[in-house]
Each structure stands twice: as structure tokens, then as C-alpha cells.
Amino acid sequence: MRVQGATRKRVSAGRYVRRYTLEQSLNLAIKLFSKASDDNLIRLTYLLERLAPSRTDAGSVRVVHEAFRTGHPSVVLAKKLGRELSDTYRQGIANFVVRSVFLDARIRGDYEKKYGVTPPFTVLISPTMRCNLKCAGCFAGEYSERDDLPADVMRRIIDEGKDIGIGFYTILGGEPLLYKPLFNIIEQNQDASFQIFTNATAVNEQVVEKLGKLGNAILVLSIEGMEKETDERRGKGVFGKIMRAADMLRESGAPFMFSVTPTRKNTEIVTSDEFIDLMVEKGAIFGWYFNYMPVGREPDLSLMPTPEQRDLIRRRVSHLRSTRPVLLIDFWGDGALTSGCLAGGRQFMHVTNKGDVEPCIFCHFSTHNVKDCSLVEALNSDFFKGIRRAQPFGHDHIRPCPMIDHPGAMAGLVKKFSAHPTHDGAGRILNEFIPELREYSNKVKEIYKDTWENEYGWYYEWVSK
């Protein structure tokens, strides 16, 4: 089933010309940005606000304007990117912005009219679960190349996603750089953008050269803190390989991100000034914080950050992104920015190497498989619709997760829609661990008792605009 299979083919020559003109204009603006004075940049935001296609976009421009006016570290980061990005990546960013704002928006609008919901911002795909490391607590098991997602299925997922206005794809694993067709598929989809989560051990000069030629894919380097913490969980020498990968990417003009898994053992380190300053020095532009979840082959509740540590992550991430030129996101503590849980196709979904469509990278249950159905059919499954109807799962969006913050919520949905586990042991977090998770969530709730009302008053004003 292809909902709008010919949509992009029907784009007129005039629209292609307009797109090319917009891309080249934005590319030039990025180059000039690093040299412009703050006063001129503030004037530019006034113009962009008038030209914004919607109130939401105008509001986003006002946020940028305020950042310029107050000298926010994000402005330092943006100017740095203007100076240091390669021409290929500059063009890649221009393509992404123009496509997202001016082209995909119309396609997404058509989808919303037909189905009553907008398509997710990204599709998460794990094309392989093979990995050369054996990190403690990881849910990647023992797999071979024959277990990989067939390349033609991955291409179809991306094609069908683009047909409904999804232009951004998150590639996970396993170790995705072990997936042989990966770079060919990225090259064949220059009208899409990709972020690739990697342990960095396979990043070499050839990989960096390929990325530099493509310009539409960014690596996300997984790291556990400093050398002690990283090598302790991932293996001796891995930290050094990550640092070398970061150096190669920075020197080539390729932007990169980092990803950390805060656990009970490393939370204080990964939220420290020392760690973030190292990431900034190495050239990272963005950082993801995904708290350890007790899922996978050997789930371990004792690795979860304590309720007190979870609040520390929330507070430290907020402080660091206000004082350092790097964008940071706490996947749980920043729930106010997303109005809670994003799963079930609200803003993302996950396709496994077997083709199973899961609501979230941490929720290993499915009712549909893309080998047997279209992406649209999976997005509009009863299971995913039920999840979206139940969102948000609570009034307090800094406790957004239906598995660890509202134990039993996802278990009820899985049972109601007869979703099956996608691997052995997947059900432990929804069944066996419920008593411990209820105790955990109650402690988090107590710590956050007054936080939502006292610190997030801006949320209701923001969502009402």
C-alpha cells in the first residue's frame, strides 16, 4: 500500500526551481551567519518572523530572536557551525530545513486530513542487531548477518515514509555501521536526512570520507562518561576509539552528536562540567541523555538511576545547555518540550531488524510487521491508535513514560490489543518488574511533587500559542 507514491514525482518544475533557490539562499545565509554581527542577526529574525508560514513557525523564530538578544550559548554554537562545517554538510542542512518547512509540510497536511493525525517526525530503524561489543545492560543479543533487515524492505520503509512527509530517519542497532547496505541506501535518499547511533569503533577514514561526500547523515557517538566509565561498560580501549572518531569528524568538517546512558554508576560523571566541556572541545553539537531502562536480554533494575539521580540529570542538563555551546536533551526530564510520551507514532516509532513495528525503542511489543504491511497501516494500527489516545499518561510531563513512570499503563495496552513480544524476555518490564517499578515511580513522583507547578508554568502559555 502506497498512500502518496507519486507525490514527489508530480512536483512541478517550478517547485523544483523554488526549492533549489531556497536551498542555495539558505546555504549562503549559513555561510554569512558566522560573520554577521548580533545586531544584524536580530534584525534578520524580525524579517523571518514576518515570512514564517505559520504561527508555530513564527513562535520558533521568536525563540531564536531571544537567544540572539541575550547572547545564549546556542548562538555561539550556530556561529561555530557556520565557520567549521564543510560545504557538503552546509548544503545538507539547507536541504533539510527547506524540505521540512516548505515541502514535507504540505504532504504531512494531506496525511492529517486523511487520517486525523500528523505523521511522526522520525522513524527509528534497527537494520541489524549485530554488534562487535557486549555492553552491560544492552538489549542487543547474539545475531548473524542473516538476521539483518533486507535492504529492499529498508528502502521501502524510507520511500513510504517520504510519501507521507517523513524526511528524517534514526538508524540504530546493534551497531548500524556493520549493516553493509547502509551507505548505499543513504546515498539513494538524498532527499532525506539520517542520524546514526554508533559505538564509534568502526569509524575510520573511509567512513568519514563517505559521510563527507553524502552530507545528509550525522553520526551519534555512544559514550558512557570519561575513560573509566566508558571502558568499564563497553570494553578496554573503546573510549580512545571514540575520541579518535570525534577528532576525525571535527577535522573533516562533519558535525556529530553524542549519546549517553545515565546509570546508577555514571550519572554524576555524564552530567559534570568536565564531561560536557570535553564533548564541546571535541566538536559535538548535540547530546542525547537516555536513562538506563531495564529491557533486553539481561535487564537489571539496579542499573537504573535512582529517583534522586534522575532529578539531578534533569536539573544538570537544563543548566549545561544554558551555559555551554551544545544542545542537550534529557529524554525523560525534557518531557515538557514534547508534551509527554512520543511513542506509538506520535513523533516516532521503531522498526526492528525482523520488521516488527514497535511503539518505542524501549517497548518491545508489536502487532504489525512491515514485511507484511505498509508503514501507514502500521502507524494506524489499533495498538498505535490506542497508545496515542492514552497520551499523555499523566498531568506531569516530566514523568512521561508509560512503563517506568506509570507502571501498568503500557501493560494494559499491550494486553488490550494483543501485542506480542518481539524477543524473549521482553515482557519482564511489563509484568515481573511492576511492583519494583511502582515503588520507583512513587519515589520519583514524591521528589517532583512541586516541581511541575513551580518550574514549568511556561508550558501552558507555550502550548496555548
Side-chain angles (χ1 to χ4, degrees):
M1 175 180 174
R2 295 291 296 277
V3 176
Q4 297 179 9
T7 299
R8 291 168 186 267
K9 296 178 183 178
R10 293 198 298 265
V11 176
S12 67
R15 285 184 64 192
Y16 275 120
V17 170
R18 181 177 179 231
R19 171 177 176 167
Y20 178 79
T21 302
L22 286 167
E23 288 173 358
Q24 296 307 309
S25 298
L26 185 55
N27 193 9
L28 177 61
I30 294 171
K31 289 182 180 180
L32 296 175
F33 180 82
S34 62
K35 303 176 183 178
S37 69
D38 289 347
D39 286 343
N40 285 337
L41 290 172
I42 290 172
R43 293 188 185 98
L44 177 62
T45 61
Y46 286 125
L47 175 61
L48 291 175
E49 185 175 345
R50 294 191 186 97
L51 296 175
S54 70
R55 289 179 60 193
T56 300
D57 294 317
S60 299
V61 173
R62 283 192 293 274
V63 171
V64 175
H65 165 84
E66 188 63 15
F68 288 144
R69 190 185 67 79
T70 59
H72 193 275
S74 59
V75 178
V76 176
L77 173 62
K79 288 187 174 183
K80 180 181 177 182
L81 289 176
R83 290 193 306 270
E84 298 179 3
L85 280 184
S86 68
D87 288 341
T88 307
Y89 270 105
R90 236 184 246 118
Q91 187 64 57
I93 290 176
N95 292 346
F96 173 72
V97 172
V98 170
R99 186 178 64 246
S100 299
V101 175
F102 295 98
L103 301 180
D104 288 344
R106 181 177 300 180
I107 301 172
R108 293 163 70 85
D110 291 343
Y111 180 95
E112 183 178 15
K113 289 177 183 176
K114 185 170 184 177
Y115 294 102
V117 292
T118 55
F121 176 71
T122 186
V123 176
L124 283 56
I125 308 173
S126 293
T128 182
M129 290 305 292
R130 290 180 291 129
C131 188
N132 57 325
L133 301 181
K134 295 186 182 298
C135 305
C138 179
F139 54 79
E142 299 296 334
Y143 296 85
S144 67
E145 191 171 344
R146 66 176 176 270
D147 298 311
D148 288 356
L149 187 70
D152 61 326
V153 176
M154 185 165 174
R155 290 188 179 96
R156 178 169 59 80
I157 293 168
I158 296 170
D159 284 344
E160 292 181 357
K162 289 188 295 187
D163 286 345
I164 59 174
I166 304 172
F168 187 61
Y169 295 85
T170 299
I171 311 302
L172 305 157
E175 172 47 55
L177 294 183
L178 298 180
Y179 185 64
K180 292 179 180 178
L182 180 62
F183 285 113
N184 284 337
I185 291 173
I186 292 173
E187 185 176 11
Q188 292 161 2
N189 288 279
Q190 284 291 312
D191 57 344
S193 300
F194 300 81
Q195 62 172 346
I196 306 167
F197 283 73
T198 174
N199 63 36
T201 59
V203 177
N204 53 30
E205 289 83 358
Q206 291 74 30
V207 168
V208 173
E209 184 179 358
K210 287 178 183 178
L211 290 165
K213 289 179 180 178
L214 293 169
N216 65 329
I218 295 178
L219 295 188
V220 186
L221 310 183
S222 296
I223 189 168
E224 307 300 330
M226 307 303 280
E227 183 172 16
K228 176 181 179 295
E229 295 78 24
T230 300
D231 285 3
E232 184 178 276
R233 184 174 186 227
R234 295 182 172 267
K236 187 174 177 58
V238 172
F239 179 82
K241 293 177 180 179
I242 296 170
M243 294 297 100
R244 285 193 291 277
D247 290 339
M248 284 190 288
L249 291 164
R250 183 188 67 252
E251 291 165 6
S252 74
F256 72 90
M257 311 180 199
F258 70 89
S259 170
V260 296
T261 302
T263 69
R264 198 158 300 189
K265 297 179 179 181
N266 73 348
T267 288
E268 285 73 18
I269 293 294
V270 297
T271 57
S272 68
D273 290 353
E274 177 189 13
F275 174 72
I276 292 299
D277 288 343
L278 175 63
M279 293 297 97
V280 171
E281 176 190 336
K282 288 294 178 179
I285 65 169
F286 199 108
W288 291 102
Y289 284 76
F290 298 99
N291 293 353
Y292 172 78
M293 290 279 284
V295 297
R297 64 185 178 197
E298 296 178 0
D300 185 352
L301 287 167
S302 71
L303 282 175
M304 293 177 66
T306 66
E308 293 80 8
Q309 286 178 319
R310 180 165 159 183
D311 187 46
L312 174 68
I313 296 165
R314 179 189 67 84
R315 290 184 285 107
R316 285 294 296 166
V317 167
S318 178
H319 168 75
L320 288 166
R321 68 175 166 230
S322 299
T323 58
R324 302 297 196 280
V326 60
L327 301 177
L328 302 174
I329 292 291
D330 170 8
F331 195 65
W332 280 264
D334 282 326
L337 299 177
T338 60
S339 297
C341 175
L342 299 171
R346 178 172 169 249
Q347 286 296 342
F348 65 69
M349 58 195 288
H350 178 232
V351 180
T352 73
N353 63 302
K354 297 177 184 177
D356 289 318
V357 184
E358 299 173 338
C360 172
I361 185 64
F362 299 115
C363 184
H364 303 162
F365 291 85
S366 177
T367 59
H368 283 62
N369 189 294
V370 289
K371 294 178 181 178
D372 306 317
C373 72
S374 72
L375 193 67
V376 165
E377 288 171 326
L379 277 168
N380 288 284
S381 66
D382 289 341
F383 182 36
F384 276 26
K385 285 180 179 178
I387 292 172
R388 293 195 294 264
R389 281 195 300 268
Q391 292 165 336
F393 292 94
H395 166 73
D396 176 351
H397 297 330
I398 53 176
R399 297 185 302 111
C401 182
M403 293 192 292
I404 64 168
D405 291 322
H406 308 281
M410 185 58 75
L413 290 163
V414 165
K415 182 178 180 180
K416 179 178 180 179
F417 296 104
S418 302
H420 63 82
T422 56
H423 65 81
D424 292 339
R428 296 183 71 185
I429 190 172
L430 300 188
N431 299 296
E432 179 182 338
F433 294 160
I434 288 291
E436 291 92 337
L437 288 174
R438 282 204 174 116
E439 182 180 356
Y440 177 90
S441 65
N442 285 335
K443 289 180 180 177
V444 173
K445 185 177 181 180
E446 179 63 24
I447 289 173
Y448 284 170
K449 181 172 60 176
D450 300 318
T451 301
W452 180 252
E453 285 73 16
N454 293 341
E455 297 184 27
Y456 291 86
W458 54 266
Y459 170 78
Y460 296 102
E461 180 181 353
W462 176 55
V463 297
S464 67
K465 291 182 178 179

